[in-house]
Amino acid sequence: MDHETQTEQQPADRQDDHRRRKAIYLLPNLITTGALFAGFFAIVMAVQDNFVPAAIAVFVAMLLDGMDGRVARMTGTESEFGIQYDSLSDVISFGIAPALIVYLWSLQGMGDRWGMLGAFVFAAAAAIRLARFNVQVETVDKGYFVGLASPAAAAVLMGMVWFFEAHDIPFEAQQGWVWVITITTGLLMVSSFPYFSGKRLSPRLRVSFLSLPIAIIVFVLLLKDFALTLWVLASAYALSAPLWTLTRGLRRRLKRPAS
């Protein structure tokens, strides 16, 4: 091959590379778009005072959000665009949407700016949490999240709204408790508590025999009251890291006098 032929192929290769950089992968980004639409739909439903469909839409966004990354890894279609697009979608679906739903559902009844402040703290914490995750994604342990993940935080609030609305329990009148739950969940997102991510789970993982009856109980509860079970599981996960950290600290203090 002569020099002239080589110079003709090099610009062609560069053009192909440039086209690949400009193109985006359809399948994972289509799933991300579905999650974004679910978050947008949740906001529309909340504005119309349809809080149960709004909460369910956020859970649908969680399901789609868990799919897009896995599909991208399985099909080899990961991209920087997909990562950034997913983060922007998460801010809306798991930050803005839950904050607005809780505000319209309960916090606006506080009659002053405290309700708006509580909702904004949650929304801002979700944005900060996602920005920090993008910065630390290559440096932190894959087995743990630093701070409560935004989908899990949204599940706490949306599980609460879904359960009380589905059972016609006027918990939205308890603005003080709703405010505390919203603020606490938001602060857990920007905390440094280590939360188990589940990324190291595999089909060959061995667990104790107690895990099987627990799984059966959870399955029965899901059939009995789906909304309550989701809320309890999300709340238990949100509290797991602070309780584990507190328990570990107490154990260390008790061991010091003995040593």
Side-chain angles (χ1 to χ4, degrees):
M1 183 180 296
D2 56 11
H3 178 71
E4 184 177 354
T5 306
Q6 290 179 352
T7 55
E8 290 177 355
Q9 286 186 345
Q10 287 178 357
D13 293 340
R14 291 176 183 174
Q15 290 178 0
D16 291 340
D17 293 338
H18 182 66
R19 289 172 183 172
R20 291 193 189 99
R21 293 192 200 102
K22 291 178 66 176
I24 61 173
Y25 295 108
L26 177 62
L27 184 57
N29 291 301
L30 190 62
I31 297 175
T32 303
T33 303
L36 177 60
F37 174 77
F40 175 77
F41 180 80
I43 293 174
V44 173
M45 289 294 101
V47 171
Q48 298 176 359
D49 291 336
N50 296 322
F51 295 109
V52 171
I56 294 175
V58 175
F59 279 103
V60 172
M62 295 176 200
L63 180 63
L64 294 173
D65 180 67
M67 291 173 56
D68 57 4
R70 288 179 173 83
V71 170
R73 287 189 292 270
M74 290 174 59
T75 58
T77 54
E78 297 173 282
S79 65
E80 185 64 27
F81 173 85
I83 294 173
Q84 299 303 324
Y85 184 36
D86 181 70
S87 295
L88 293 173
S89 173
D90 289 352
V91 170
I92 295 175
S93 297
F94 309 132
I96 302 298
L100 182 62
I101 292 169
V102 169
Y103 176 77
L104 295 175
W105 178 63
S106 174
L107 296 181
Q108 67 174 346
M110 297 185 75
D112 51 29
R113 297 180 180 177
W114 284 103
M116 185 187 301
L117 176 64
F120 175 74
V121 166
F122 182 90
I128 295 171
R129 166 71 178 80
L130 289 162
R132 184 179 66 178
F133 175 80
N134 288 342
V135 172
Q136 298 178 344
V137 66
E138 299 296 335
T139 59
V140 298
D141 186 356
K142 301 293 184 182
Y144 294 89
F145 293 127
V146 180
L148 181 64
S150 56
V156 174
L157 298 189
M158 296 301 95
M160 173 179 64
V161 173
W162 187 0
F163 169 70
F164 287 112
E165 281 293 302
H167 292 273
D168 293 325
I169 302 174
F171 188 71
E172 69 275 8
Q174 307 295 324
Q175 289 94 3
W177 282 109
V178 176
W179 191 88
V180 170
I181 294 172
T182 304
I183 290 286
T184 302
T185 309
L187 294 178
L188 285 175
M189 280 192 283
V190 295
S191 70
S192 57
F193 290 121
Y195 282 88
F196 181 67
S197 67
K199 293 182 178 180
R200 292 179 177 175
L201 293 177
S202 67
R204 303 183 66 179
L205 179 67
R206 292 188 176 185
V207 295
S208 65
F209 287 103
L210 185 61
S211 302
L212 184 58
I214 292 177
I216 295 174
I217 293 173
V218 171
F219 179 73
V220 172
L221 290 176
L222 283 170
L223 295 177
K224 180 69 175 178
D225 196 326
F226 194 73
L228 176 60
T229 306
L230 288 180
W231 185 37
V232 170
L233 291 177
S235 300
Y237 178 73
L239 295 174
S240 62
L243 292 178
W244 180 76
T245 303
L246 178 62
T247 303
R248 186 177 63 173
L250 290 175
R251 287 179 179 176
R252 288 180 177 178
R253 291 187 179 182
L254 292 175
K255 288 181 179 179
R256 286 177 183 175
S259 59

